[in-house]
Amino acid sequence: MSGPPELPGELLRALAESYSVTLDYWDWQGREVVVAADTIRAVLGALGVDVSTAESTQAALADRSLAPWRQMLPPTIVTRGGADCEVAVHVRHGAPVSVWVELEDGSLRRDVESRDVWVQPQEIDGGLVGRATVALPRDLPLGWHTLRATSGDAVSSAVLIVTPDRLEPTCAPRGSHAWGLMTQLYQLRSTRSWGLGDVADLMALAEWSATELGADFVLVNPLHAAEPIAPMTPSPYLPTSRRYANPLYLRVEDIPEYAFLSSTDRASVQALAAPLRAGLRTDVLLDRDASWSAKRAALVLIRSVPLTPDRAADLERFRQEEGSGLLGFATWSALAETYGPKVETWPEDLRDCGNPAVKTARAELEDLVELNVWLQWLLQGQLAAAQEASRAAGMRIGLIHDLAVGVHPDGADSWSLRGVFAAGCSVGAPPDAFNQVGQDWSQPPLHPGRLADVGYAPFRDLVRGALRHAGGLRVDHVIGLFRIWWVPDGLPASEGTYVRYDHEALVGILALEAHRAGAVVIGEDLGVVEPWVREYLVQRGLLGTSISWFEKGWSGEPLAPEHWREACLGTVTTHDLPPTAGYLRGEHLVIRERLGLLTQSLQEEQATDQAERFAVIQVLRESGLLSDDAVGSEEELEDVLVALHAQLSRTPCRLLGVSLADAVGDRRAINQPGTDQEYPNWQLPLTDGAGACVLLDDLATPGGAALARRLAAVLAPNPAQ
């Protein structure tokens, strides 16, 4: 038998702390866990630190402490508007230095103030290096500026990011709330869909829910890009790129050039769509591959229609604005279609995006590259139209997009931005109540140091892309901006550890880009989250997330609605739980028991879960939202569902969300966390309580939206509040 895991020694601990690698943590059951030395070594190795011997570990620790002295300026400086910010400048000891700020638009140079702060010079690489201290002007405008320094022949520059102290959401005045629907877009199908919901369906839902129900937003799953060829990963939370979107969501007939196809080609397009539309009422798994195969063939036909001069100019504008990011994504897409989606199977000289062979391949595959540029341009046009239509229909927010926590290890971002990812680890989550063996999401973690070295540009660009045509952004697993669970390759998910990030930088950038877009930001802060993180999010003006079943007081009792947080999105359920009708029946426990995800017996879990659900329902009865009758019939289940949403309206939450699955009576879980092939995650069609498929068109029928209207009635803001 093997003994207990080796614990890290003093030297390894000091090095880990210098790289913000967590040495111990408190688990979901309140127990302290000390991280094993092997895990610490593996994570440090993924960060590029040699810890193979005691000597290399000692050398790495010394290099870490001297690293700031080897730079005239740090690569990136993040501050808040109006804050006092000092910057250390390292130059040859005794040498004069000149430092100034160049504003983002290049219109003005601002001098900085020198401060008399004595710091003992250090001998670095054979020379004596001193430190000067400068203070940035407090009145710098928000934005992306440049700090420059010169000393003799030495020159240096740093990215200077001035962020809002607080993002001020304007979606709902204090004491009131805005509410909206939450949906998985691919489930949102209409009779005009190509087998899966698309942007036109999203627009129709937004307009209908705004005019008929008084909704202020539609929160949709991540629309990030997936593989350009089959098989397409079903999970919207494992994208190939977070910056670009999935052309699967295009509505073919809404592309202007479609109208100019020949009658023969239009007939060909409709013939491609026909079999997909014929199966809309069948309760079979959603088939992304079939939909994309047909849609791509139609798009190739439409692309043969020449663009008008103004459309061609708009495409070129888009290409120039997106720059190298779009070119890299389109190149990866062309290579993936040619050689397969796994980069490891490509010719060796194409696996590194910086290899000159990639430029040659790009020229050879120019038509495929240009096709993918064109597809992204079309998507942005349709998403812009959807957001404009939602606001025109009366929504205060409109579309709220979702930002996944990471990307596919073989995807476009992992390939084109490989320099900012750490190899040898993946991200996930430690064991918790809903997945007691931990989770490995197979996504490569961003390298904190390299991200700062490039001025956080990759993070800025993906946030900008997500907010381009949105009134809001939900950030999945927002704790990942503070710390995230790294799982070394070859170890189980339970044997990882947390790595901390510069949350002041990441949250600040998120707030800055949302401020510029006039958007609200929602952080999904469920699960194991340190209390100070939620306080910090409130301080910065970001909303959190509250779920009815998880809101509890200190002794574990259901939290009274008036004591919920104000700065959050309040909902009854989430995509990681079954719809409420299924949750009330304990569907989640049956699934987890069948998949071997429980650490206690099913009977024990059911007893605990039933007691917790009964406690919530009892609060509904005591507050007069639900009668004392036993919960059992379908009508009574619906009454509980409505009462739970009525309870939401009694909370101070700024935003309230209703799952579209709840609004139509669906019961099946769309996702079971911690599984891959074991459960049909993200592939189930939207159905009602009887298991019949629900289309968007059904909501317009006299009885098709009865439950949705009941929910809207209890969520409508009270003018007297």
Side-chain angles (χ1 to χ4, degrees):
M1 291 181 61
S2 60
E6 177 194 356
L7 300 181
E10 183 177 344
L11 191 61
L12 189 61
R13 289 178 65 88
L15 187 59
E17 288 174 346
S18 75
Y19 277 93
S20 299
V21 178
T22 299
L23 296 162
D24 53 70
Y25 64 93
W26 297 90
D27 71 7
W28 65 285
Q29 293 178 313
R31 299 174 303 194
E32 184 179 15
V33 178
V34 178
V35 181
D38 284 347
T39 296
I40 299 295
R41 292 191 189 98
V43 170
L44 286 170
L47 288 166
V49 185
D50 183 1
V51 290
S52 57
T53 65
E55 291 74 20
S56 64
T57 304
Q58 180 69 63
L61 185 59
D63 285 344
R64 183 68 170 167
S65 65
L66 294 177
W69 290 85
R70 292 188 168 118
Q71 300 173 316
M72 183 182 291
L73 292 172
T76 305
I77 301 153
V78 181
T79 186
R80 303 191 197 187
D84 183 65
C85 180
E86 292 186 345
V87 179
V89 187
H90 296 98
V91 296
R92 181 173 54 84
H93 181 53
V97 61
S98 177
V99 186
W100 68 95
V101 175
E102 288 182 1
L103 297 186
E104 181 176 14
D105 60 5
S107 63
L108 191 64
R109 166 176 166 158
R110 298 286 304 275
D111 293 327
V112 301
E113 169 194 341
S114 295
R115 290 190 174 171
D116 187 12
V117 179
W118 169 253
V119 178
Q120 183 70 31
Q122 299 283 320
E123 185 174 337
I124 307 294
D125 304 325
L128 203 58
V129 175
R131 174 181 292 173
T133 302
V134 300
L136 302 180
R138 288 175 176 264
D139 61 348
L140 288 174
L142 303 181
W144 296 77
H145 312 303
T146 304
L147 183 67
R148 299 195 184 278
T150 62
S151 180
D153 295 334
V155 297
S156 183
S157 64
V159 175
L160 172 58
I161 311 167
V162 182
T163 70
D165 182 59
R166 176 180 171 82
L167 180 66
E168 293 293 345
T170 59
C171 53
R174 291 185 179 276
S176 182
H177 64 257
W179 80 273
L181 293 173
M182 307 180 299
T183 187
Q184 302 287 316
L185 180 52
Y186 48 86
Q187 281 193 311
L188 182 66
R189 302 177 299 166
S190 69
T191 53
R192 294 187 62 201
S193 303
W194 289 52
L196 296 170
D198 56 34
V199 178
D201 294 320
L202 177 59
M203 181 192 300
L205 179 69
E207 291 178 315
W208 174 80
S209 63
T211 56
E212 297 296 320
L213 304 181
D216 279 308
F217 64 84
V218 174
L219 193 162
V220 68
N221 63 279
L223 304 186
H224 305 321
E227 296 85 352
I229 56 173
M232 186 177 288
T233 300
S235 173
Y237 292 94
L238 187 60
T240 62
S241 173
R242 293 192 290 173
R243 180 173 175 179
Y244 295 103
N246 192 342
L248 177 68
Y249 294 118
L250 283 168
R251 171 63 63 83
V252 170
E253 293 88 345
D254 286 355
I255 299 170
E257 287 70 36
Y258 171 78
F260 297 96
L261 286 173
S262 68
S263 58
T264 300
D265 283 346
R266 279 201 302 275
S268 296
V269 168
Q270 291 308 306
L272 288 165
L276 300 171
R277 289 170 175 159
L280 288 171
R281 292 289 184 183
T282 59
D283 185 22
V284 297
L285 296 183
L286 302 176
D287 191 340
R288 288 167 171 79
D289 296 337
S291 292
W292 176 234
S293 177
K295 193 169 284 191
R296 189 187 186 284
L299 290 164
V300 169
L301 285 173
I302 294 173
R303 187 166 173 249
S304 66
V305 177
L307 299 176
T308 60
D310 62 322
R311 294 267 291 165
D314 190 61
L315 171 57
E316 184 57 30
R317 252 190 319 272
F318 175 73
R319 187 198 317 273
Q320 294 301 319
E321 288 171 357
E322 292 297 304
S324 60
L326 177 61
L327 186 61
F329 170 78
T331 300
W332 174 87
S333 299
L335 291 170
E337 184 165 345
T338 303
Y339 298 108
K342 289 188 175 296
V343 175
E344 63 188 28
T345 66
W346 295 3
E348 190 170 353
D349 56 359
L350 299 181
R351 299 175 195 175
D352 182 349
C353 63
N355 193 306
V358 172
K359 185 176 181 180
T360 302
R362 182 185 297 132
E364 294 171 351
L365 300 173
E366 181 181 7
D367 189 61
L368 270 180
V369 172
E370 289 303 308
L371 169 66
N372 284 282
V373 170
W374 177 73
L375 290 173
Q376 290 303 312
W377 171 64
L378 292 178
L379 266 168
Q380 293 308 315
Q382 292 196 2
L383 287 168
Q387 172 63 4
E388 290 169 6
S390 69
R391 295 301 299 271
M395 285 188 163
R396 284 183 280 177
I397 300 173
L399 306 183
I400 300 180
H401 289 291
D402 200 345
L403 183 65
V405 69
V407 294
H408 197 289
D410 278 314
D413 287 358
S414 299
W415 177 77
S416 62
L417 299 171
R418 63 183 302 179
V420 298
F421 287 101
C425 284
S426 58
V427 300
D432 60 28
F434 281 85
N435 200 304
Q436 298 170 12
V437 296
Q439 299 177 55
D440 184 340
W441 301 330
S442 77
Q443 300 166 340
L446 286 166
H447 189 297
R450 294 175 193 163
L451 198 55
D453 288 343
V454 297
Y456 293 95
F459 182 71
R460 173 201 64 198
D461 293 341
L462 69 90
V463 171
R464 281 184 182 173
L467 286 169
R468 183 183 285 114
H469 305 301
L473 182 64
R474 174 189 179 273
V475 181
D476 190 50
H477 199 65
V478 74
I479 189 65
L481 303 182
F482 297 77
R483 67 175 188 180
I484 200 163
W485 188 253
W486 285 33
V487 182
D489 292 352
L491 292 181
S494 59
E495 294 183 23
T497 190
Y498 289 107
V499 175
R500 293 192 177 275
Y501 289 74
D502 186 346
H503 62 273
E504 182 72 13
L506 293 172
V507 175
I509 292 167
L510 184 60
L512 172 60
E513 295 304 320
H515 167 79
R516 290 183 158 185
V520 63
V521 177
I522 303 161
E524 186 268 291
D525 57 352
L526 303 174
V528 183
V529 176
E530 298 159 301
W532 72 267
V533 169
R534 292 193 173 99
E535 294 171 3
Y536 180 87
L537 292 174
V538 171
Q539 179 193 71
R540 299 306 300 268
L542 275 63
L543 304 182
T545 302
S546 290
I547 308 295
S548 294
W549 306 109
F550 304 152
E551 288 298 305
K552 298 179 180 179
W554 289 109
S555 59
E557 78 285 358
L559 193 64
E562 62 269 21
H563 296 312
W564 284 32
R565 293 178 290 166
E566 176 187 353
C568 73
L569 164 69
T571 70
V572 173
T573 189
T574 170
H575 60 249
D576 287 333
L577 293 174
T580 303
Y583 190 79
L584 289 168
R585 295 294 196 193
E587 176 73 14
H588 52 300
L589 296 179
V590 175
I591 294 172
R592 287 160 58 199
E593 193 272 338
R594 187 172 72 241
L595 299 177
L597 299 176
L598 298 178
T599 57
Q600 300 183 93
S601 70
L602 176 60
Q603 292 73 24
E604 290 174 306
E605 294 281 354
Q606 286 175 328
T608 300
D609 188 69
Q610 184 176 6
E612 291 179 349
R613 283 185 280 122
F614 178 81
V616 171
I617 291 172
Q618 188 62 27
V619 170
L620 298 178
R621 290 171 173 155
E622 292 171 355
S623 60
L625 295 172
L626 189 67
S627 71
D628 290 334
D629 297 336
V631 176
S633 69
E634 295 304 311
E635 293 78 8
E636 289 164 342
L637 275 177
E638 185 172 305
D639 288 343
V640 175
L641 176 64
V642 174
L644 285 165
H645 286 84
Q647 183 186 55
L648 284 184
S649 68
R650 296 187 177 185
T651 72
C653 300
R654 300 289 290 278
L655 299 182
L656 304 179
V658 179
S659 168
L660 182 62
D662 274 357
V664 300
D666 203 349
R667 295 190 177 188
R668 297 183 298 178
I670 192 66
N671 174 51
Q672 174 54 53
T675 64
D676 182 18
Q677 302 299 316
E678 304 91 335
Y679 185 82
N681 295 320
W682 320 110
Q683 298 173 72
L684 297 174
L686 188 68
T687 61
D688 61 19
C693 287
V694 175
L695 301 184
L696 185 59
D697 312 68
D698 299 329
L699 299 178
T701 62
L707 179 53
R709 293 184 187 280
R710 286 189 68 187
L711 297 177
V714 299
L715 289 171
N718 184 349
Q721 286 183 321

